[in-house]
């Protein structure tokens, strides 16, 4: 039992959890504060993952130049998505982002792109320089049921450090006059236009900044593991949206707590189900169905959340009354 | 009766002594329906001008065209001597020509105060980079908050300053939108039915505020169906019907014009009862 809860608690602080939290912070800026429907956060993450790993593996750049390449690619991607759509109604951005994410995934996973992107196999072993920066002495660090290597701790520290830094950045931005303009755009962009603000430019800035958060999340996502094209499908985007709505779209902390709850709940349900099946308590499913069933359970949990707490965990109930 | 507004004889589209806004051949068609077809019109500077006309006359469409919220099929117009055709809406507003909307656009999930602050121009904190450093914009924020407080008091919204705009009544939202437009310190305010839904007691004080704007040197152009208000505060009245300017002149003379009675008052004689309605306290 300790192991099961140990796993669930471990998931609270996994680098993956941090990556999802950060990507969700980006969508919070896009959707929660600016009203932009970005259904392609996966593409910004993929740009981060591929931009970084290709720079290291193929171009033989160092760690920091590779990060820079990914960030520049992210800004370019934001412009490609934003220029044709941000003057139009908000649904257009939704369609274009979702399509762009899929197109990007198909392109990087074709076999003809193999020499650069690794094709269907993806890429790995680009993190040597990252691990070399780890100041923590080698060894095993044990707490309760966990046993971490120095790299595990380093990856977690860096990932969560960045999440906190970006959460603070978002908090500062949305409390500033700049944040007031984007919130105004979320409410009614014509009103904001009539007050002399260049709405198009603000939407673009928001798209770029939130996209950069997705890109940094994409790098965090792959640093401790490998780049797999299959990871950047629509599921990734929808998990991030789930996390955002779980925590509350127009909040800063919601994304972080949402990601923690999402991942530790997933771990908890699958471990509990698995233990149940092993002990013969649960007889109507088999071990290999658990992976799918836990998502169904999470889905039910989300439905309950939407019914009983539609504003998300951190959201302001008032906001919903008014929107109704 | 001589007047100091028109240059020559008073007629639809006549020249003004000191126009702030001049439009030529502005035409907007929706499919086969010509919504606006204004040959020539000039808005006098520093005066209160009413734009009246029956429903569907094209008043709101004309506002939209002039302020860059809609593009005409043809035509050009200038504000303060600067050509405005094809200029983006936000730039029009920055030049000092600010409008409100017939269907109120309060920013619901912002507080009344934040709505007001948003109206202020040239805010350092509205740039992405400077937004990150509060000391760079906090002084400006304090000064626009002071201005906003003054305006809110004038418009009797000061008690609501920290409430969400969504919690305001329809009439209060009209007031907020007008106050917010004034935060931009415009030269020309264009109000689309500012009194619709505002209670009679407040109407009276709003009329005073609008006269006050004129006293401060602003030009006001407003669309209104309430003839009491039109008669009470406007220096000049322009009448639109079926997209065209059919009459203009000082309020008392325009109201007597047979073309106006035909186009407007004829169909809605009781809209002339604004004053009586107020007297009855309705
Ligand atoms: N977006 C649009 N698409 C099609 N037709 C439109 C559109 N906007 C306005 N119209 C048409 O243009 C004409 C003028 O409309 P407009 O809203 O300018 O009238 P108005 O003078 O403001 O009337 P009201 O006093 O009722 O507000 C109407 O016939 C209307 O149906
Ligand atoms: Mg109208």
């Amino acid at each position: 039992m300790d192991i099961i809860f140990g796993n669930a608690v471990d998931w609270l602080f996994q680098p993956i959890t941090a990556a999802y939290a950060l990507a969700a912070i980006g969508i919070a800026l896009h959707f929660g504060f600016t009203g932009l429907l970005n259904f392609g956060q996966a593409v910004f993450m993929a740009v981060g993952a591929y931009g970084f790993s290709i720079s290291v593996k193929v171009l033989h750049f160092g760690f920091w130049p590779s990060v820079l390449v990914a960030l520049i690619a992210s800004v370019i991607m934001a412009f490609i998505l934003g220029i044709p759509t941000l003057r139009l109604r908000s649904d257009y951005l939704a369609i274009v982002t979702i399509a762009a994410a899929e197109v990007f995934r198909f392109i990087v996973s074709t076999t003809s792109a193999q020499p650069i992107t690794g094709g269907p196999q993806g890429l790995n072993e680009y993190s040597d320089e990252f691990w070399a920066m780890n100041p923590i002495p080698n060894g095993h660090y044990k707490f309760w049921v966990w046993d971490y290597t120095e790299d595990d701790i380093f990856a977690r520290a860096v990932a969560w450090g960045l999440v906190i830094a970006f959460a603070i950045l978002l908090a500062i931005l949305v409390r500033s006059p700049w944040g007031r303009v984007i919130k105004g755009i979320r409410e009614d962009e014509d009103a904001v236009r009539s007050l002399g603000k260049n709405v198009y430019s603000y939407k673009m800035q928001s798209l770029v900044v939130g996209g950069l958060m997705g890109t940094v999340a994409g790098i965090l996502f792959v640093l401790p593991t490998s780049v797999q094209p299959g990871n950047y499908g629509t599921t990734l985007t929808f998990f991030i949206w789930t996390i955002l709505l779980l925590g509350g779209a127009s909040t800063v902390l919601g994304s972080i707590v949402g990601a923690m709850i999402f991942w530790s709940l997933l771990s908890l349900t699958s471990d509990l189900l698995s233990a149940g099946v092993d002990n013969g308590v649960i007889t109507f499913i088999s071990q290999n169905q658990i992976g799918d069933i836990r998502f169904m359970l999470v889905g039910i949990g989300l439905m309950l959340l939407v019914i009983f707490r539609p504003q998300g965990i951190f959201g302001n109930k008032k906001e919903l009354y008014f929107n109704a | 009766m001589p007047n100091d507004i028109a240059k020559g004889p008073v007629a639809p589209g006549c020249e003004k002594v000191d126009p702030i806004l001049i439009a030529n051949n502005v035409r907007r068609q929706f499919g086969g329906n010509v919504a606006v077809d204004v040959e020539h019109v000039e808005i006098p500077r520093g005066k209160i001008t009413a734009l009246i006309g029956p429903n569907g006359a094209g008043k709101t469409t004309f506002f939209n065209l002039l302020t860059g919220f809609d593009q005409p099929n043809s035509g050009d117009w200038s504000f303060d001597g600067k050509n405005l055709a094809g200029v983006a809406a936000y730039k029009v507003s920055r030049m000092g020509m600010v409008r409100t909307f017939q269907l109120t656009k309060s920013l619901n999930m912002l507080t009344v105060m934040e709505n007001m602050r948003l109206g202020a121009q040239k805010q350092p904190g509205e740039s992405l980079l400077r937004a990150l450093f509060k000391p760079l914009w906090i002084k400006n924020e304090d000064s626009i908050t002071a201005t906003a407080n003054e305006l809110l008091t004038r418009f009797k919204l000061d008690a609501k300053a920290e409430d969400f705009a969504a919690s305001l009544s329809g009439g209060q939202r009209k007031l907020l939108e007008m106050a917010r437009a004034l935060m931009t310190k415009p030269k020309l305010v264009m109000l689309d039915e500012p009194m619709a839904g505002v209670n009679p007691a407040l109407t009276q004080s709003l009329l005073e505020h609008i006269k006050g704007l004129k006293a401060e040197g602003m030009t006001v152009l407003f669309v209104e169906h309430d003839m009491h208000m039109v008669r009470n505060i406007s220096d000049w009245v322009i009448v639109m019907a079926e997209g065209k300017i059919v009459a203009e002149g000082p309020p008392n003379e325009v109201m007597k014009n047979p073309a106006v009675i035909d186009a407007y008052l004829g169909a809605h004689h009781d809209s002339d009862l604004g004053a009586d309605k107020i007297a009855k306290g309705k």
Side-chain angles (χ1 to χ4, degrees):
Chain A
M1 216 50 195
D2 265 7
I3 293 283
I4 291 179
F5 285 106
N7 274 341
V9 176
D10 174 57
W11 267 102
L12 292 178
F13 302 107
Q14 288 255 359
I16 303 270
T17 309
Y20 275 76
L22 184 48
I25 291 174
I27 306 257
L29 176 58
H30 287 159
F31 175 70
F33 292 101
T34 323
L36 298 177
L37 282 174
N38 169 11
F39 281 132
Q41 192 68 333
V43 78
F44 286 106
M45 294 182 77
V47 163
Y50 279 98
F52 173 77
S53 59
I54 291 173
S55 301
V56 173
K57 295 277 290 189
V58 183
L59 304 175
H60 305 292
F61 286 178
F63 177 83
W64 292 112
S66 302
V67 169
L68 191 65
V69 169
L71 296 181
I72 292 169
S74 169
V75 174
I76 294 171
M77 179 57 82
F79 280 116
I80 292 174
L81 297 176
I83 287 171
T85 56
L86 290 182
R87 287 189 202 280
L88 306 173
R89 257 192 1 236
S90 63
D91 353 8
Y92 289 88
L93 180 69
I95 298 164
V96 167
T97 46
I98 207 167
E102 288 298 276
V103 168
F104 191 91
R105 182 166 66 93
F106 281 119
I107 291 176
V108 293
S109 55
T110 51
T111 29
S112 43
Q114 191 133 15
I116 300 167
T117 65
Q121 278 83 48
L123 294 164
N124 53 32
E125 286 167 10
Y126 38 73
S127 307
D128 292 352
E129 215 180 314
F130 174 69
W131 300 124
M133 285 189 270
N134 186 355
I136 303 167
N138 283 11
H140 283 266
Y141 297 83
K142 294 188 177 153
F143 316 88
W144 190 27
V145 295
W146 307 306
D147 180 0
Y148 293 130
T149 67
E150 73 284 358
D151 284 348
D152 292 334
I153 294 180
F154 184 57
R156 282 165 176 72
V158 169
W160 287 101
L162 282 168
V163 169
I164 291 166
F166 278 106
I168 292 172
L169 178 79
L170 180 65
I172 291 174
L173 281 178
V174 300
R175 283 169 179 74
S176 73
W178 185 86
R180 181 159 64 220
V181 178
I182 62 163
K183 283 186 262 180
I185 292 171
R186 175 190 68 193
E187 301 298 313
D188 190 320
E189 57 177 78
D190 276 344
V192 176
R193 221 170 251 134
S194 79
L195 299 171
K197 321 291 176 193
N198 185 348
V199 168
Y200 178 66
S201 160
Y202 279 97
K203 283 185 179 176
M204 191 62 89
Q205 291 170 33
S206 168
L207 189 65
V208 167
V209 175
L212 283 171
M213 293 179 184
T215 297
V216 174
I219 301 175
L220 286 180
F221 192 57
V222 297
L223 268 180
T225 55
S226 60
V227 179
Q228 300 290 337
N231 285 344
Y232 301 95
T234 44
T235 329
L236 176 59
T237 297
F238 291 135
F239 281 180
I240 296 166
W241 273 88
T242 305
I243 285 167
L244 179 75
L245 299 178
L246 191 64
S250 307
T251 66
V252 176
L253 286 180
S255 300
I256 298 177
V257 176
M260 289 175 149
I261 292 178
F262 181 78
W263 283 110
S264 64
L265 267 186
L266 269 185
S267 152
L268 197 64
T269 46
S270 76
D271 284 357
L272 284 175
L273 285 172
S274 162
V277 173
D278 277 350
N279 299 333
V281 182
I282 302 172
T283 50
F284 48 91
I285 53 171
S286 68
Q287 275 299 350
N288 49 15
Q289 290 172 321
I290 287 172
D292 294 330
I293 287 179
R294 63 180 185 154
F295 282 115
M296 292 181 201
L297 288 177
V298 169
I300 293 170
L302 278 173
M303 283 159 71
L304 294 176
L305 179 93
V306 171
I307 293 166
F308 293 107
R309 202 173 163 81
Q311 73 274 34
I313 293 164
F314 280 86
N316 184 346
K317 187 94 195 203
K318 266 192 194 156
E319 304 190 0
L320 280 168
Y321 287 141
F322 290 140
N323 286 336
Chain B
M1 189 180 94
N3 68 75
D4 57 344
I5 293 178
K7 209 175 196 174
V10 174
C14 65
E15 278 181 49
K16 304 297 176 334
V17 179
D18 183 14
I20 189 167
L21 183 70
I22 305 173
N24 280 311
N25 298 314
V26 177
R27 190 180 158 88
R28 176 68 163 109
Q29 240 172 303
F30 294 108
N33 173 16
V34 181
V36 168
D37 187 8
V38 171
E39 227 173 86
H40 185 85
V41 73
E42 298 185 3
I43 308 298
R45 186 193 308 274
K47 307 286 178 196
I48 301 177
T49 304
L51 180 61
I52 66 170
N55 293 118
K59 306 178 295 293
T60 299
T61 308
F62 193 46
F63 262 35
N64 290 343
L65 294 171
L66 293 177
T67 50
F69 281 87
D70 189 10
Q71 272 64 52
N73 300 88
S74 63
D76 58 81
W77 60 101
S78 65
F79 170 69
D80 230 2
K82 279 164 278 189
N83 183 25
L84 272 194
V87 173
Y90 77 93
K91 287 186 184 154
V92 173
S93 160
R94 283 184 190 177
M95 288 167 131
M97 178 165 153
V98 174
R99 58 90 54 94
T100 63
F101 296 87
Q102 180 170 4
L103 296 171
T104 326
K105 292 186 183 295
S106 57
L107 304 166
N108 286 339
M109 293 316 307
L110 298 186
T111 63
V112 168
M113 180 49 87
E114 287 284 80
N115 265 272
M116 293 295 287
R117 289 190 187 119
L118 189 61
Q121 299 297 295
K122 297 197 177 133
Q123 298 186 43
E126 286 185 352
S127 112
L128 179 55
L129 288 181
R130 270 177 285 182
L132 297 172
F133 306 100
K134 200 168 182 177
L136 294 180
W137 50 262
I138 191 67
K139 264 215 187 105
N140 185 266
E141 193 81 350
D142 290 343
S143 89
I144 63 178
T145 305
T147 316
N149 270 322
E150 269 168 42
L151 276 169
L152 286 178
T153 311
R154 247 211 261 171
F155 284 81
K156 303 219 165 27
L157 286 171
D158 43 335
K160 292 273 185 185
E162 294 310 321
D163 294 358
F164 281 123
S167 72
L168 298 184
S169 73
Q172 288 170 326
R173 288 181 203 198
K174 278 265 164 203
L175 298 176
L176 171 60
E177 201 187 12
M178 200 159 137
R180 190 178 64 194
L182 295 179
M183 283 295 291
T184 66
K185 305 219 159 88
K187 291 183 206 149
L188 168 62
V189 245
M190 299 171 61
L191 308 169
D192 201 344
E193 303 200 13
M195 295 303 163
V198 175
N199 82 59
L202 201 51
T203 310
Q204 206 49 48
S205 75
L206 260 182
L207 294 183
E208 296 310 314
H209 292 324
I210 294 179
K211 284 184 191 161
L213 298 181
K214 183 173 86 164
E216 288 169 30
M218 265 180 234
T219 305
V220 181
L221 174 64
F222 71 100
V223 172
E224 190 53 64
H225 288 293
D226 180 346
M227 285 309 125
H228 166 69
M229 171 173 176
V230 171
R231 209 171 266 157
N232 206 304
I233 64 165
S234 50
D235 301 306
W236 197 254
V237 178
I238 298 175
V239 188
M240 260 182 108
E242 292 168 20
K244 293 185 167 57
I245 308 289
V246 293
E248 63 177 287
N252 288 327
E253 285 167 38
V254 166
M255 302 294 180
K256 282 183 246 149
N257 183 327
V260 177
I261 295 169
D262 191 35
Y264 191 32
L265 304 174
H268 302 266
H269 244 310
D270 45 326
S271 49
D272 197 21
L273 299 179
D276 301 352
K277 267 191 226 159
I278 288 172
K280 278 185 217 149
K282 192 177 159 218

